[in-house]
């Protein structure tokens, strides 16, 4: 198929560029990200899971194999072999997506709304990670919920052994981080530093694939490039060639960091066009409506939400939280963190500050954010959150949108 024959007349918001029509399922767009409404009525004879239509052309050319069956996947999995129950996913976020935050979000949304979550990255360097480190990241309920464990590193054997141990602990999906721009990752040639070497990326994905039983999918999360996006397709193909079952693309380059206005959804569509595995689009989802808009514009099979989920944990459903609901969420987070950390106030306060930095639901912290962030005493901060102190606005429900 020539590149032009894939084009439709749709354009990306704000770019005026045409968007590719093809999606990995062969559909031009998704009706909804609500799994209940869009899943195919056809079901797998092996698992009873709904089946997503396959890309017939790719199958015919022998380029695509059916994903292996994951016995741990939820019964409502919408793409066979992946442990996700809906198309909206929570992004891995260091310092945020700990077991407490993930569990609160999973409790808040049913399976048809929030499809799955990812851990913060676990760095694998000088040796494979011990089981207790993996267990701590998973949390008490982690491995049994719709969750991917994210690893970051560049040592094939150590990554493989860590993944194998994680699988023994019940992990349903292993993701590898090719997106972290932090200096530490760059120094040790991990995270997005690996984008400079697609063949090494392929080998790392393959090492994880080889280390795991076939029913545990390996996925990878990339940025769109280092300085620019000129070799984006090569990066996407490296992940596919390594045997990944899903590619997540954060549609900013390393150079663009997290800057506003740099999330370019057409990069997600380029990945959709380049590979025959499902693509998860990430970057620039700021509100509920953007989740579906991104999938429609790009043909991505999943949409991953990062900072907007810290700003408003209800972003997946579009529910407009009241002041009380917002305060309760933060208080429950603080309570649970205190329990899990055995009362480590400094740690709990640091995590709360990370959330306050982004929080928007019900307009809390609108006028007082910097005051909250300047609070020196961890005990004072945690106590104020626990007693549901005034966080503005004082009205019980958020003002209606104009
Ligand atoms: C505080 C923070 C921590 C992050 N940690 C990770 C991480 O551990 N692994 C990862 O792959 N990406 C990480 N990211 C990147 C996000 O997963 C996501 O790609 C990025 O925020 C873009 O999505 P957004 O525009 O929806 O926020 C992090 C982002 C933030 C803001």
């Amino acid at each position: 198929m020539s590149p032009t024959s894939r084009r439709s007349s749709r354009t990306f918001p704000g770019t005026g560029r045409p968007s590719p029509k093809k999606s990995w399922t062969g559909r031009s767009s998704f009706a909804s990200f609500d799994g209940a409404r869009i899943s195919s009525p056809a079901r797998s004879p092996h698992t009873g899971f709904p089946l997503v239509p396959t890309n017939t052309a790719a199958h015919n050319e022998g380029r695509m194999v059916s994903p292996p069956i994951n016995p741990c996947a939820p019964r409502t999995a919408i793409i066979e072999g992946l442990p996700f129950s809906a198309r909206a996913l929570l992004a891995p976020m260091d310092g945020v997506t700990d077991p407490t935050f993930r569990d609160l979000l999973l409790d808040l949304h049913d399976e048809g709304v929030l499809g799955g979550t990812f851990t913060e990255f676990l760095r694998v360097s000088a040796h494979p990670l011990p089981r207790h480190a993996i267990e701590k990241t998973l949390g008490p309920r982690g491995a049994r919920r719709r969750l991917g464990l994210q690893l970051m590193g560049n040592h094939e054997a150590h990554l493989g052994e860590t993944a194998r141990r994680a699988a023994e602990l019940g992990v349903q999906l292993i993701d590898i981080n090719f997106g972290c721009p932090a200096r530490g990752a760059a120094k040790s040639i991990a995270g997005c530093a690996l984008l400079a070497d697609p063949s090494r990326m392929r080998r790392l994905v393959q090492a994880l694939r080889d280390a795991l039983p076939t029913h545990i999918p390996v996925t990878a999360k990339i940025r769109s490039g280092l300085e620019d996006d000129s070799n984006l397709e090569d990066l996407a193909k490296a992940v596919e060639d390594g045997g990944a079952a899903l590619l997540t693309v954060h549609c900013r380059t390393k150079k663009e960091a997290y800057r506003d206005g740099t999330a370019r959804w057409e990069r997600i569509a380029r990945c959709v066009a380049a590979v025959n595995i499902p693509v998860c689009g990430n970057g620039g989802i700021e509100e509920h409506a953007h989740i579906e808009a991104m999938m429609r514009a790009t043909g991505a099979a999943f949409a991953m939400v990062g900072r907007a989920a810290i700003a408003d944990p209800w972003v997946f459903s579009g529910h407009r939280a009241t002041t009380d609901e917002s305060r309760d969420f933060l208080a429950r987070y603080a309570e649970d963190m205190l329990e899990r950390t055995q009362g480590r106030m400094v740690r709990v306060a640091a995590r709360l500050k990370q959330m306050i930095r982004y929080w928007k639901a019900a307009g809390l912290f609108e006028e007082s954010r910097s005051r909250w962030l300047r609070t020196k005493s961890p005990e004072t901060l945690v106590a104020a959150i626990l007693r549901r102190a005034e966080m503005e606005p004082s009205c019980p429900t958020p003002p209606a949108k104009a």
Side-chain angles (χ1 to χ4, degrees):
M1 187 190 290
S2 76
T4 46
S5 67
R6 290 196 185 120
R7 305 279 157 190
S8 78
S9 57
R10 287 172 299 157
T11 56
F12 291 98
T15 67
R17 292 177 192 214
S19 60
K21 196 172 170 189
K22 176 201 155 214
S23 78
W24 87 283
T25 59
R27 280 184 275 173
S28 59
S29 66
F30 293 94
S32 160
F33 58 87
D34 176 343
R37 276 187 288 145
I38 60 174
S39 59
S40 158
R43 289 183 176 266
S44 158
H46 309 291
T47 62
F49 298 156
L51 288 171
V52 170
T54 49
N55 181 330
T56 323
H59 268 294
N60 289 346
E61 291 162 29
R63 287 186 285 121
M64 190 171 178
V65 290
S66 297
I69 294 157
N70 182 348
C72 301
R75 284 203 59 78
T76 48
I78 51 170
I79 290 187
E80 191 172 2
L82 292 173
F84 302 131
S85 57
R87 298 191 183 271
L89 306 177
L90 174 68
M93 285 184 283
D94 189 33
V96 180
T97 56
D98 50 49
T100 300
F101 188 76
R102 295 192 316 258
D103 281 348
L104 281 174
L105 255 71
L106 287 168
D107 289 345
L108 214 55
H109 301 294
D110 72 33
E111 283 199 344
V113 173
L114 174 57
T117 65
F118 284 84
T119 65
E120 311 164 74
F121 70 77
L122 259 184
R123 192 188 291 266
V124 180
S125 44
H127 48 74
L129 291 180
R131 281 179 179 74
H132 67 81
I134 302 168
E135 278 174 318
K136 198 168 157 211
T137 297
L138 297 177
R141 297 155 79 194
R144 292 190 306 280
R145 308 197 95 186
R146 29 198 207 281
L147 173 74
L149 173 74
Q150 190 183 66
L151 303 178
M152 182 164 82
N154 64 16
H155 192 292
E156 290 170 31
H158 294 173
L159 281 167
E161 177 56 21
T162 303
R164 210 181 51 71
R165 290 176 187 176
E168 282 171 8
L169 293 168
V171 165
Q172 301 172 30
L173 179 151
I174 298 287
D175 186 66
I176 180 161
N177 179 322
F178 294 130
C180 179
R183 220 169 283 156
K187 250 191 190 165
S188 57
I189 322 282
C192 80
L194 288 161
L195 298 178
D197 190 348
S199 59
R200 192 161 182 200
M201 288 168 64
R202 181 186 51 71
R203 289 198 302 277
L204 288 166
V205 174
Q206 174 120 45
L208 287 169
R209 183 60 280 152
D210 291 347
L212 288 166
T214 52
H215 69 271
I216 310 264
V218 175
T219 66
K221 180 163 177 281
I222 63 171
R223 275 191 178 246
S224 299
L226 289 168
E227 292 295 305
D228 60 50
D229 63 10
S230 54
N231 70 338
L232 178 55
E233 282 79 2
D234 293 340
L235 302 175
K237 283 190 189 125
V239 166
E240 179 180 39
D241 291 347
L246 174 77
L247 164 73
T248 299
V249 56
H250 175 187
C251 60
R252 296 181 179 90
T253 62
K254 179 189 179 205
K255 191 176 175 188
E256 289 162 350
Y258 293 97
R259 280 199 307 281
D260 287 346
T262 55
R264 289 172 50 189
W265 287 355
E266 73 268 27
R267 290 169 172 161
I268 298 167
R270 280 172 56 191
C271 290
V272 171
V275 296
N276 289 300
I277 52 174
V279 170
C280 172
N282 168 241
I285 291 178
E286 289 168 12
E287 58 185 65
H288 175 67
H290 292 171
I291 296 174
E292 187 160 4
M294 180 216 269
M295 289 188 288
R296 278 186 188 281
T298 63
F302 295 94
M304 179 181 273
V305 187
R307 289 160 298 168
I310 318 176
D312 179 358
W314 292 267
V315 66
F316 297 98
S317 65
H319 170 71
R320 293 187 61 225
T322 63
T323 304
D324 284 347
E325 285 170 332
S326 292
R327 285 182 182 155
D328 277 349
F329 183 97
L330 290 164
R332 282 184 58 196
Y333 179 83
E335 273 161 22
D336 202 74
M337 277 299 278
L338 280 173
E339 201 179 309
R340 286 191 187 175
T341 62
Q342 279 130 30
R344 291 208 184 96
M345 286 287 177
V346 175
R347 189 135 167 249
V348 178
R351 295 253 158 172
L352 282 170
K353 281 191 179 179
Q354 180 74 312
M355 285 167 71
I356 292 169
R357 211 162 273 134
Y358 292 99
W359 193 274
K360 284 189 187 153
L364 300 191
F365 310 113
E366 224 162 57
E367 293 142 40
S368 58
R369 199 176 312 272
S370 54
R371 183 161 53 78
W372 280 86
L373 292 176
R374 279 200 314 270
T375 311
K376 287 244 161 52
S377 153
E379 287 80 7
T380 307
L381 181 88
V382 173
I385 294 286
L386 286 176
R387 70 166 187 276
R388 293 153 173 81
E390 195 64 39
M391 299 160 190
E392 288 144 21
S394 48
C395 51
T397 51
K401 273 192 183 148

